[in-house]
Structure formats: structure tokens, C-alpha cells
Amino acid sequence: MSKIRDEVLAANAAYADDFGDKGDLALPPARGFLVLTCMDARLDPAKYAGLAEGDAHVVRNAGGRATDDAIRSMVISHKLLGTREWFVIHHTDCGMLFFDDTQMGDLLAGSLETAELTAEGFRNVSEPGGSPEGRYVKWHTIPDQARAVIEDVARIRTHPLVNPSIPIYGYVYDVKTGRLNEIEAATEAGRAAG
Ligand SMILES: [Zn+2]
């Protein structure tokens, strides 16, 4: 078995041994809020936002973008599970800043192996041939960090399935300091109606 798999299962066994009364947690998040954020390994929403099991919904994808699938989760979160405040949290040094759709299409067409990140951006180590399928995908990259937060909040705000009463706050997490910095124009765009 793989070393990582061994480690994960060992960690899980220890966690389950100390599970306490968490089996009694309710399905709806106790503190009634949701965080949409990036999958970046340096971000731990439970730590940077003070969450315990059962507290809040966390929706993650590459970039923390307001994709159709992220919005699907958010609508479920409010409509069925009662969250009433939403945070969109992107971060500094996000990988999504370092490529665009054309480059990703080219990289995948050249090779399916992991690219390397150089000063000039991502680059294939070798090019044995990959697939042109990547040219048909919208990767939701981030040309401008603050603008992406504003656009994501605005997209969620104006979505016909999103309740206008939900305030949506926009932030950028600083990976150098651990601090959440508000994008005021995003929070303004996400203001609740009424
Ligand atoms: Zn990221």
C-alpha cells in the first residue's frame, strides 16, 4: 500500500478513536454560514476562520471561483441547510494567477504529467503528447485577484437561485501572514437586499 495511504488511514484511526460526541452533530451547520475558498494546501479554513466540525459549510475548488458547481452547493447550503451568510475567500500567490486557458490547453496537449512552475510560468518537463481535450475546458483562471473576488461575489449575488437576503463578503487570504483582507468593493457588491 502507498505510504500516503498508510498515513491517512493511521491518522483517521486516531481521529476516530477520539471522536467523542461528534456523532451527535446535526446535519445543518450550527453557525449558519458558508465559505467558498481555494483548494490551495496552505489554506485551512477550519483554522483561519475558527471552525469546528458541524459549524459551517466549506466549498472548495481551484481558485475559490463561483463556478456553476460552486453555486449549486451554495444554493443547497441555504435552501436545504439554512446558511444565512456567505464568504468568498481567494488568496495571494494562487496558482490560478499563473496560467490562462490557452496555456493550460497547450500544456495538456503536450503532456499529462505534472508541469513545473518556473519564473515564466508553468512548463512541461517533457512533451510525449497529451490530449487536446483541455482546450475545451474553461479553467476559471484569475488574471486579477481583487477583480476576480468582485466578479465572483457579483455573480453569486445576481444568480436567480440565490436568496437576496444573504450577505456575501469578499476577502483575500494572505498566505504570508494568515490574515484575511477584505475586498470592500466585493462585499459592497454582495450586500443583502433590504
Ligand atoms: Zn489558489
Side-chain angles (χ1 to χ4, degrees):
M1 194 150 48
S2 92
K3 176 170 177 289
I4 291 295
R5 191 168 160 185
D6 286 344
E7 290 170 358
V8 167
L9 294 179
N12 177 254
Y15 178 74
D17 283 346
D18 196 26
F19 201 57
D21 58 5
K22 289 194 279 287
D24 298 329
L25 288 170
L27 170 58
R31 293 171 62 202
F33 72 99
L34 172 146
V35 175
L36 169 63
T37 199
C38 185
M39 69 182 187
D40 190 293
R42 294 166 294 183
L43 275 57
D44 185 345
K47 289 180 180 158
Y48 76 55
L51 309 179
E53 291 92 333
D55 274 355
H57 282 149
V58 178
V59 177
R60 301 187 74 162
N61 62 32
R65 302 307 313 270
T67 60
D68 289 348
D69 193 61
I71 292 173
R72 175 186 69 87
S73 294
M74 296 169 90
V75 170
I76 290 169
S77 174
H78 170 73
K79 179 67 184 175
L80 302 182
L81 296 165
T83 59
R84 298 173 303 278
E85 291 179 75
W86 292 351
F87 294 76
V88 173
I89 303 177
H90 293 188
H91 66 99
T92 60
D93 199 40
C94 186
M96 301 292 275
L97 291 158
F98 305 136
F99 67 100
D100 61 24
D101 282 2
T102 301
Q103 290 162 341
M104 186 60 160
D106 288 347
L107 286 166
L108 286 163
S111 170
L112 298 185
E113 296 297 329
T114 301
E116 59 182 3
L117 181 55
T118 71
E120 288 80 46
F122 288 101
R123 190 175 67 185
N124 277 330
V125 178
S126 66
E127 302 230 317
S131 167
E133 197 60 34
R135 302 195 197 283
Y136 298 86
V137 176
K138 175 141 182 66
W139 297 96
H140 301 287
T141 61
I142 298 177
D144 178 292
Q145 187 68 89
R147 198 174 59 208
V149 178
I150 296 165
E151 288 176 357
D152 280 358
V153 168
R155 178 169 198 234
I156 298 162
R157 172 77 297 147
T158 57
H159 195 284
L161 297 179
V162 170
N163 190 326
S165 72
I166 302 169
I168 309 161
Y169 317 120
Y171 285 85
V172 171
Y173 172 89
D174 187 332
V175 297
K176 297 293 184 204
T177 65
R179 201 168 294 279
L180 290 174
N181 294 308
E182 185 170 27
I183 304 299
E184 289 177 17
T187 299
E188 180 59 28
R191 208 154 35 93

